Amino acid sequence: MRELSFIRAENEAVYEEMERDPSIFVIGENVRTFGTEAIFSRLLQKFGPERVRDTAISEQAILGATIGSAATGMRPIAALGIDDFLGVCGDELLNQLQMRYMFGGKIKLPLTITTNCGAGRGLAAQHSKSLYGWLMAIKGLKIVAPSTAYDAKGLLKSAIREDNPVVFLTHTALGRSTSQIPDEEYTIPLGKADIKREGKDVTVVTLANMVHIALATAAKLQERGISIEIIDPRTVVPLDKQAILDSVRKTGRLVILTEEPITGSFAAEVAAIVAEEAFDFLDAPIKRVCAPDTPVPFSPALEKFWLPDEARLIKAIDDIM
Amino acid sequence: MEIAGPRLIDMFKTMVRIRTFEERVSKEFGAGKLPGIVHLYIGEEAVATGACANLRSDDYITSTHRGHGHLIAKGGKTDRMMAELYGKKTGYCDGKGGSMHIADPDIGILGANGIVGAGIAIAGGAGLSAKMRGTDSVAVCFFGDGASGTCRFHEGVNMASHWKLPVIYVIENNQYAISTRSREVRNIDNLADRSAAYGIPGVTVDGNDVVAVYEAVGEAVARARRGQGPSIVECLTYRWHGHTEGDPQTYKPKDEMEEWLKKDPILIFRKRLAELGVLAEHEADKIQQGMLDELERAVKFAEESPFPAPEETLNNVFA
């Protein structure tokens, strides 16, 4: 066991998979030139320039070439910077990733997209999104959003091995967070939620950095005699619906906490699923604790207001107890 | 370049097969038998034929919304293509794709594509893959004058040029992007001149001369196989039918249409083959009749094939 940072754990995942499978290569902007803490560090030295490819700023060509090479025998990893930039290759995501379905299942696209997400560092409206909701609308795409270094390594290995398009989101607030990482190889399957904290009064479904907000809040609430159960889906698509429904059947109350504007959010989708499939078990309305329906503001005073926090989570829970 | 008789006859057959297929599709579409829309390749047969005559089954092509010609030239079968247009289970895509998404990855057909320019980036990926796997396969990327103005053209050709990817960009300049005269929405004359911006070879040829297309693409393919990177071959041609079938083409001047109809690539080639003594007129007639028979069988196959079961809507999203 060793304590590793989130980014270092991701780097180990990519390194191990590239060692094991020569059809894997990395393609994107600045993949060769990051420092020691980066997800793609060490790769150029170990695997050489053929398998670690820097490109011009050209997201359409990058993701298009990723799709074309995945359809013809390779297993590419496309480094697409920050998820705000995914709009630049919107067609590749929205229309070209549908290739397997449109071709009647005649090809597979074993590709991974790695990208950063998240607000809280004053990077303003074009560098701060967490696009869980928008990405869910893309059919044929799996979505992974881990909250710990341990989860990140296991899930990234699975994402790379997955024979389908996967977008792997690294929240920038988590980069230096650490976990104990086993020495032996391990993977975590996509579509399996993790109960980050067991509880009996309220189910809190939450993702990425918000998991840690929920954990900090749990301690405070415990002092007041409220026990929250924290479900971390870890993958948005495929979603571990069963884990969420089982928890709500136990607690009877649901709050969804995510760092995304509330409308059209992943939180909204979870709320709809639970309202449809566990209505009889609910003792209170479902609450979504999300950001407001605005772009991300720059000023720290405003960004703080924009981000969901412990106080907003506590208020939502108080409202339904 | 001296081209062997059998190769010339094959090219003639392919052009006739494409023309016969498209004319039959036009007929069935007009009779209301086909769901959706079709974009017909009539008039442009020499481009797909001349280009693909240089290719092996392990070479790749990416195609466009106007893809039936490319698919047939690369080895697509008319019965399975027709069945796909009818939305039947026996179609190339099990009825899941339709005209704009027909594909046969087994023979390197990476799909027709409904988004203008999308194939440009995908072809780069196929070329990259071929190169990384140590093969000498190439990717021919078909697209039109319209697509040459997109971001993807710039990004894709830039990428292929600096990595020397084995991609041949065949620009089918039929001079119209739907109803817009493409010369009016750009500043330069020849699209192939854009090759200078990427430091790669670029040439413009008569797209209605199948031999000219064959030779120009052949040189580009040979360069690509030798590891010398991508090229642009611009082929000047004209589409006879509308953007989509049924489009009355009121935006085209009548005399322009008549000029181009006189330059029928199939009639021109048929006459040349007769003059060369390669294919007598009566043998050409036999070939054309044979294609009509083939299409009769293809339509029958499509009509008699079942639709996919409704539940098939849900399958093959993921592997």
Side-chain angles (χ1 to χ4, degrees):
Chain A
M1 281 294 208
R2 314 141 290 144
E3 187 169 343
L4 286 187
S5 71
F6 198 106
I7 290 190
R8 182 60 187 214
E10 290 177 324
N11 177 246
E12 276 199 0
V14 179
Y15 191 102
E16 287 169 16
E17 292 305 299
M18 287 183 75
E19 258 189 327
R20 145 182 210 281
D21 181 348
S23 74
I24 299 174
F25 68 99
V26 180
I27 176 173
E29 297 156 24
N30 306 297
V31 299
R32 292 180 175 175
T33 53
F34 277 135
T36 52
E37 284 307 300
I39 182 173
F40 301 119
S41 73
R42 308 183 294 151
L43 300 180
L44 177 63
Q45 297 90 306
K46 170 79 175 169
F47 301 108
E50 277 289 298
R51 295 179 70 192
V52 183
R53 292 179 172 256
D54 266 348
T55 65
I57 300 174
S58 53
E59 282 75 14
Q60 293 183 339
I62 293 166
L63 189 47
T66 299
I67 292 168
S69 58
T72 54
M74 302 297 286
R75 187 171 290 268
I77 301 173
L80 290 179
I82 302 177
D83 69 347
D84 308 62
F85 303 157
L86 294 178
V88 180
C89 47
D91 177 62
E92 274 70 27
L93 288 168
L94 198 58
N95 292 309
Q96 307 310 318
L97 284 184
Q98 300 177 133
M99 202 183 256
R100 177 178 173 79
Y101 185 87
M102 295 187 297
F103 293 0
K106 306 261 179 331
I107 54 112
K108 57 181 189 178
L109 293 179
L111 64 92
T112 306
I113 297 166
T114 60
T115 189
N116 288 340
C117 68
R121 299 186 302 156
L123 296 185
Q126 294 176 354
H127 288 70
S128 302
K129 299 181 185 58
S130 292
L131 286 171
Y132 315 123
W134 190 80
L135 289 165
M136 267 190 340
I138 297 167
K139 302 301 139 183
L141 180 65
K142 299 194 178 183
I143 305 168
V144 179
S147 65
T148 67
Y150 176 86
D151 288 346
K153 182 177 179 187
L155 286 166
L156 185 49
K157 285 169 74 80
S158 294
I160 293 168
R161 293 184 194 185
E162 176 76 26
D163 281 347
N164 295 293
V166 182
V167 59
F168 190 95
L169 293 142
T170 301
H171 196 289
T172 48
L174 297 174
R176 295 212 158 72
S177 70
T178 63
S179 301
Q180 289 295 311
I181 305 289
D183 296 324
E184 330 71 70
E185 187 181 45
Y186 70 99
T187 60
I188 297 173
L190 306 193
K192 186 106 184 33
D194 187 35
I195 302 174
K196 286 296 196 285
R197 183 187 193 277
E198 290 196 9
K200 56 178 191 51
D201 297 322
V202 183
T203 299
V204 177
V205 173
T206 181
L207 278 178
N209 61 323
M210 290 288 137
V211 169
H212 305 281
I213 301 274
L215 284 165
T217 309
K220 296 196 168 88
L221 288 168
Q222 195 64 61
E223 288 164 22
R224 293 171 43 194
I226 299 173
S227 149
I228 67 173
E229 179 153 285
I230 298 173
I231 306 287
D232 175 4
R234 302 192 291 192
T235 55
V236 170
V237 176
L239 179 64
D240 188 351
K241 238 174 39 165
Q242 202 53 53
I244 296 171
L245 294 171
D246 286 347
S247 179
V248 173
R249 288 187 187 116
K250 186 170 75 166
T251 65
R253 289 175 165 77
L254 174 63
V255 176
I256 309 141
L257 168 69
T258 52
E259 188 192 293
E260 45 176 351
I262 191 166
T263 300
S265 58
F266 169 63
E269 179 60 23
V270 173
I273 291 170
V274 173
E276 258 177 27
E277 300 192 38
F279 182 76
D280 291 334
F281 292 88
L282 288 169
D283 296 326
I286 298 168
K287 290 288 210 178
R288 296 168 292 165
V289 179
C290 300
D293 284 332
T294 73
V296 179
F298 165 66
S299 171
L302 303 181
E303 193 177 31
K304 186 174 188 315
F305 175 80
W306 192 89
L307 287 163
D309 59 13
E310 286 181 30
R312 297 237 296 270
L313 178 58
I314 290 172
K315 172 153 194 333
I317 290 172
D318 281 341
D319 281 352
I320 59 172
M321 290 302 298
Chain B
M1 192 197 286
E2 193 60 42
I3 305 170
R7 168 62 54 94
L8 293 170
I9 295 172
D10 264 344
M11 293 205 291
F12 178 75
K13 282 182 179 165
T14 299
M15 290 170 70
V16 175
R17 177 174 280 120
I18 295 170
R19 176 71 59 88
T20 312
F21 181 89
E22 297 290 69
E23 285 181 340
R24 193 59 196 263
V25 167
S26 175
K27 177 164 179 269
E28 300 308 328
F29 182 84
K33 304 270 200 58
L34 303 183
I37 53 174
V38 286
H39 308 82
L40 299 182
Y41 199 69
I42 299 173
E44 304 187 20
E45 296 85 356
V47 182
T49 301
C52 291
N54 291 289
L55 302 182
R56 312 184 303 230
S57 72
D58 63 305
D59 291 321
Y60 302 102
I61 64 163
T62 59
S63 173
T64 65
H65 55 286
R66 196 176 307 286
H68 303 163
H70 312 137
L71 305 178
I72 289 170
K74 188 60 172 71
K77 297 284 174 263
T78 50
D79 53 1
R80 293 195 64 198
M81 284 177 62
M82 190 63 78
E84 187 62 30
L85 298 192
Y86 272 70
K88 299 297 180 84
K89 169 80 183 161
T90 51
Y92 268 114
C93 303
D94 294 3
K96 299 290 266 295
S99 169
M100 287 187 283
H101 306 294
I102 300 180
D104 190 358
D106 289 343
I107 52 173
I109 299 176
L110 297 178
N113 203 307
I115 306 294
V116 173
I120 298 173
I122 294 169
L128 178 61
S129 166
K131 192 169 174 174
M132 289 184 76
R133 285 179 287 109
T135 73
D136 70 343
S137 299
V138 305
V140 166
C141 179
F142 291 103
F143 56 96
D145 41 289
S148 71
T150 64
C151 282
R152 242 166 323 208
F153 175 80
H154 178 60
E155 290 191 6
V157 182
N158 181 56
M159 177 182 273
S161 69
H162 74 79
W163 278 338
K164 295 204 162 359
L165 300 182
V167 184
I168 299 93
Y169 300 103
V170 177
I171 307 182
E172 303 180 303
N173 186 349
N174 66 16
Q175 301 161 60
Y176 283 87
I178 305 188
S179 64
T180 302
R181 292 183 65 87
S182 46
R183 181 61 187 86
E184 289 172 11
V185 295
R186 67 174 188 263
N187 210 26
I188 59 171
D189 282 324
N190 295 324
L191 292 171
D193 290 351
R194 287 187 173 149
S195 61
Y198 308 100
I200 65 176
V203 68
T204 302
V205 301
D206 176 358
N208 282 15
D209 177 346
V210 68
V211 172
V213 174
Y214 175 72
E215 290 179 342
V217 175
E219 281 176 31
V221 168
R223 267 197 297 275
R225 290 203 207 285
R226 285 195 300 266
Q228 291 174 311
S231 315
I232 293 176
V233 179
E234 177 189 12
C235 303
L236 298 176
T237 184
Y238 201 78
R239 71 165 146 82
W240 292 10
H241 283 217
H243 167 67
T244 52
E245 188 60 1
D247 160 18
Q249 301 196 91
T250 52
Y251 45 85
K252 282 187 175 173
K254 207 144 167 267
D255 53 350
E256 178 188 271
M257 180 74 119
E258 278 160 13
E259 260 312 299
W260 279 93
L261 287 174
K262 288 191 207 134
K263 298 193 265 192
D264 182 342
I266 293 177
L267 286 183
I268 290 171
F269 193 46
R270 187 181 150 127
K271 189 153 175 277
R272 186 163 167 190
L273 292 181
E275 281 164 8
L276 288 172
V278 170
L279 187 70
E281 294 281 1
H282 72 270
E283 288 179 342
D285 285 341
K286 263 186 26 198
I287 287 171
Q288 296 195 221
Q289 184 57 50
M291 290 305 167
L292 285 168
D293 296 339
E294 180 181 311
L295 261 301
E296 195 57 43
R297 291 192 299 276
V299 170
K300 191 157 181 290
F301 173 75
E303 286 179 344
E304 290 174 0
S305 289
F307 281 107
E311 312 78 70
E312 293 193 42
T313 303
L314 304 176
N315 67 8
N316 282 319
V317 177
F318 292 117

